[in-house]
Amino acid sequence: LVTYARKFDAKSEQFKWYMFNGYLAVEIEEEEALNISYWWKKVETVIYCDAEEIRKPFFSVDTYPINYEILFRDHFANKLRESAKVEYQLLTKEEAPQPGTMVAIDAEFVILNEELSDIDCHGVKTIVKPKKTALARLSAIRCAKGQSFGIPFIDDYIFNKDHIEDYVTRYSGISPGDLDLDLSTKPLVSREVTYRKVWLLMQLGCVFIGHGLSNDFKHININIPPKQIRDTAIYFLRGKRYLSLRYLAFALLDRNIQEGNHDSIEDAYTALILYQKYLDLERDGTLEHVLDKIYSEGRALNYRVPF
């Protein structure tokens, strides 16, 4: 999805059009923005207002009522098969997230096309076609103490009609057919449904716990305020060498995860326990000592779990 927006430029006293594509923002010609005759352009949303309205003060989205019902009900893109295994429990209204509510999250992706590059005679690499990924699964689990601690409330598989070049099953846990509307036994939803859930949790002020979240959110294409992120990949970073979730689970929690394929529920839960471990080490004043130890042992093991 891309967005075209027209903004008044006070310096030139003219309106200018801009295109937003993920983290890219470029100025474009008006003809390019308004011409929707191309086959690859499909209008999703059009927002119009009078030019005078544009000059009025901007009101934050939180000044308008927002419908949060999608967080409390299922919204399947296909009829859920009887053989489907549902591994989550929907949130209840009594559990409605509040500002500061902790949510452990993990996302898995598939590769639509690998990077295509060219290297000239001087050894200079030029990317001809960048790698393209697609969100395949997203899981979110409860973090509040009590009987529901660690129980998932979101476990969405995102259906995909595009050609998938590599399911990277070993790392994503996604197998061929899992994202197919006609074949899958998974709880399939559209990308828009999952995106809206994450966006609503952000708007509610939830704090996201996970491992490598900056990369996940970048691929999901959503910008989460840093104050709402608790990334265990950064909390246990020493120098420039990031430690994998699997190695940290082995070194700090004495747990062996990801023995087979990755599972986003298991990964989100592990990140949550790691975050709690980090808080304990910080409180005890032993974090630096533990970091020295796990990095020292990690070098001897080449940062791999010896199983």
Side-chain angles (χ1 to χ4, degrees):
L1 295 175
V2 300
T3 300
Y4 296 108
R6 192 175 76 151
K7 182 180 183 299
F8 183 75
D9 181 55
K11 188 175 181 180
S12 63
E13 296 186 344
Q14 293 180 333
F15 283 99
K16 294 185 177 181
W17 281 92
Y18 296 88
M19 181 187 74
F20 297 87
N21 185 5
Y23 290 90
L24 174 68
V26 294
E27 184 180 343
I28 59 171
E29 296 295 327
E30 183 173 281
E31 193 277 336
E32 181 182 345
L34 299 182
N35 188 346
I36 59 172
S37 63
Y38 302 107
W39 65 268
W40 46 267
K41 274 191 177 183
K42 179 182 177 183
V43 179
E44 295 286 342
T45 306
V46 176
I47 302 175
Y48 170 81
C49 66
D50 185 87
E52 289 300 319
E53 293 294 319
I54 298 178
R55 297 185 177 89
K56 293 181 180 179
F58 174 76
F59 291 98
S60 173
V61 69
D62 57 12
T63 62
Y64 301 95
I66 300 176
N67 187 346
Y68 296 97
E69 288 300 315
I70 199 171
L71 291 174
F72 307 106
R73 61 182 176 86
D74 287 317
H75 202 288
F76 299 131
N78 62 341
K79 184 178 179 181
L80 195 64
R81 298 172 185 265
E82 293 182 2
S83 58
K85 182 181 179 182
V86 176
E87 301 184 60
Y88 64 93
Q89 295 178 12
L90 285 171
L91 285 177
T92 63
K93 293 294 180 67
E94 291 72 25
E95 296 178 288
Q98 305 293 326
T101 297
M102 296 285 186
V103 175
I105 193 169
D106 186 71
E108 304 294 350
F109 303 86
V110 292
I111 298 175
L112 299 183
N113 63 259
E114 293 282 6
E115 177 184 292
L116 182 63
S117 59
D118 183 36
I119 300 178
D120 63 21
C121 59
H122 301 291
V124 178
K125 179 181 177 181
T126 302
I127 297 178
V128 178
K129 189 177 183 181
K131 177 181 176 180
K132 186 177 180 182
T133 62
L135 180 63
R137 184 185 181 188
L138 184 136
S139 302
I141 67 176
R142 297 166 170 86
C143 301
K145 294 180 179 180
Q147 291 184 342
S148 297
F149 177 82
I151 296 178
F153 63 92
I154 296 175
D155 188 32
D156 288 350
Y157 286 79
I158 295 82
F159 75 83
N160 198 312
K161 295 182 179 180
D162 297 324
H163 169 72
I164 298 175
E165 188 169 313
D166 191 351
Y167 286 86
V168 286
T169 305
R170 175 69 179 84
Y171 301 102
S172 69
I174 306 296
S175 300
D178 283 350
L179 309 182
D180 190 308
L181 280 172
D182 298 322
L183 303 175
S184 180
T185 60
K186 307 295 184 181
L188 288 178
V189 302
S190 68
R191 180 181 181 276
E192 290 78 11
V193 166
T194 301
Y195 189 98
R196 182 166 180 80
K197 289 178 183 178
V198 177
W199 183 82
L200 287 171
L201 291 172
M202 176 190 69
Q203 291 294 334
L204 286 166
C206 291
V207 176
F208 298 94
I209 301 171
H211 193 80
L213 283 180
S214 59
N215 185 61
D216 284 353
F217 289 140
K218 181 179 179 180
H219 284 278
I220 294 172
N221 199 17
I222 188 170
N223 183 34
I224 306 294
K227 66 180 181 180
Q228 289 178 241
I229 295 177
R230 303 290 185 270
D231 195 334
T232 53
I234 295 175
Y235 289 140
F236 293 103
L237 174 64
R238 170 63 63 84
K240 295 183 179 181
R241 172 76 194 218
Y242 286 95
L243 299 178
S244 69
L245 182 66
R246 187 177 187 219
Y247 182 76
L248 283 171
F250 159 74
L252 289 171
L253 307 177
D254 196 27
R255 295 182 58 186
N256 185 23
I257 66 170
Q258 303 171 353
E259 288 186 275
N261 298 333
H262 282 220
D263 183 286
S264 53
I265 291 178
E266 179 184 46
D267 289 356
Y269 182 79
T270 303
L272 170 59
I273 303 303
L274 274 175
Y275 178 64
Q276 293 181 328
K277 182 70 173 180
Y278 163 78
L279 294 178
D280 290 340
L281 295 174
E282 274 273 277
R283 191 180 303 110
D284 297 340
T286 57
L287 177 62
E288 291 302 317
H289 171 72
V290 170
L291 281 176
D292 287 337
K293 180 181 178 181
I294 61 176
Y295 269 89
S296 175
E297 294 176 348
R299 283 190 289 271
L301 296 171
N302 198 22
Y303 301 101
R304 294 181 179 178
V305 176
F307 290 126

